[in-house]
Amino acid sequence: MASPPLRVGIISAAWGAKAHLPAWRSLDGIEVTAICTSRPETAAKAAADYGVARAFHDFREMAADPDIDIVDCGTRPPLRYDMVMAALGAGKHVYNGIPFAKDLSDARAMTDAWRKAGTVAVVDAFMQAVPGMVQMKAMVDAGWLGEVFGADIAFEVPLFSAAQTNVPGYVWFADPANGASAGRNLGSHMLHLLVHFFGPVASVTSDMSLALKEWPLDGEIIRPEVPDRASMLLRHASGLPTRVEANWGKIGGEGFRFSVWGSKGRLEARAPVFPMAHDTRLFGTRDAALGTAAMDEIMVEADYRAVAGCHAVAERPETGLFALASIFAAMRDAINGEGMAAPDFAQGLHVQEVVEAAVRASDERRWVDIQA
């Protein structure tokens, strides 16, 4: 006899409804039963617009409801903290956004609450579930590169420029009270990928700065107070060196690039902006000849474009749909006692520790060790 579906409540009628809702709905064994916003009228409208049975305007009531199993927490980090803590306190499984927290204190408190609750808790760092990245890791693990010598990862795009704000819904990035910056936002996604590939980080040094002082938005000017670029040098616990470049104000930026090299060759994943299942391409070379720069495209195999009990289609361009659904599917299976959910809150805390250490390293102009 099949288990009853796991019931999901989503907090957010913005990103949560537009991206997370269709990903949850693509899964067998999942039912999205509730949506929550901050006011009764917006909650009722969201429920009607998206065909969700129940509307909440108080996340605490949603968290306490016995007919909800998973709480998907949207919005910015300072607001999300109370949502996560309420859900874990009620014994719910939790999906939490990126950046994981506004600061290290909140990150540690949420991780402690998760361990006490004994539930499944996952972080929204879904790059590692993009099919091209999944195949890339499998190739690295299988020895395609030989001995791995290092990796570079970069995310450089004009989310904001002097001419226009390309992501108006994210102007909250400008305020340091929200725990935002290029290193905290874009950087967290890339750090999760590096930790997933190569294990924990032991030490970091970095340089961070603010270049673009004004963002135009609908006739007003937003004046950011956080770094819009970050360069990080990392040393993993294994001894492997890696490098991160994050820049959200780079006109003509090449988007996303993740390059890994070793004794036998190099692999590189590329995407025009944020890596998605449909547009992330994989390239590689084992040609060691001097002056040969060409890399051949490696087609992503069909096995990496399918997940059991998931009806999302990897080739469709909806924002993050397939990768999100893959992370949700692993969370569903872990709740049902099958496999492990990832990236979990332990990884979320570690990445937050690296982020905070990178800020200190930039301020103090030195290498900073990550506490084991």
Side-chain angles (χ1 to χ4, degrees), residues 23-30 126 128-132 134-135 277 300-315 320-334 338 340 342:
W24 284 117
R25 282 179 166 167
S26 74
L27 300 182
D28 296 336
I30 291 288
F126 64 82
Q128 68 189 57
V130 170
V134 179
Q135 179 167 324
V300 178
E301 298 171 11
D303 287 351
Y304 297 103
R305 295 181 174 274
V307 172
C310 172
H311 304 283
V313 177
E315 288 74 20
L321 176 62
F322 182 82
L324 274 170
S326 300
I327 294 288
F328 292 164
M331 185 176 182
R332 171 201 63 191
D333 295 346
E338 302 172 4
M340 301 290 291

Side-chain angles (χ1 to χ4, degrees), residues 139-214:
M139 293 174 71
V140 172
D141 291 347
W144 197 90
L145 295 174
E147 181 185 356
V148 177
F149 291 156
D152 289 342
I153 187 167
F155 194 173
E156 299 176 302
V157 289
L159 301 183
F160 312 99
S161 73
Q164 61 189 9
T165 293
N166 286 309
V167 285
Y170 289 91
V171 293
W172 62 267
F173 283 10
D175 187 347
N178 290 322
S181 71
R184 293 175 183 276
N185 292 69
L186 308 185
S188 287
H189 281 286
M190 292 186 284
L191 288 166
H192 270 283
L193 194 59
L194 288 174
V195 169
H196 174 61
F197 266 66
F198 306 120
V201 176
S203 57
V204 59
T205 192
S206 71
D207 183 81
M208 302 181 181
S209 62
L210 171 63
L212 183 65
K213 307 299 192 298
E214 296 182 346

Side-chain angles (χ1 to χ4, degrees), residues 79-105:
L79 302 178
R80 218 186 312 120
Y81 172 79
D82 287 338
M83 299 169 185
V84 170
M85 295 299 281
L88 291 173
K92 306 298 185 185
H93 308 288
V94 173
Y95 194 83
N96 182 33
I98 285 286
F100 182 54
K102 78 176 191 302
D103 55 35
L104 196 51
S105 176

Side-chain angles (χ1 to χ4, degrees), residues 255-299:
F256 174 86
R257 304 178 313 283
F258 178 30
S259 184
V260 186
W261 64 93
S263 58
K264 294 182 180 179
R266 182 160 70 100
L267 287 169
E268 185 167 288
R270 304 173 189 164
V273 189
F274 196 98
M276 305 289 177
H278 72 283
D279 64 4
T280 300
R281 301 167 66 193
L282 183 60
F283 299 84
T285 184
R286 285 171 157 176
D287 185 349
L290 182 66
T292 301
M295 297 181 71
D296 296 323
E297 184 164 6
I298 299 171
M299 301 310 296

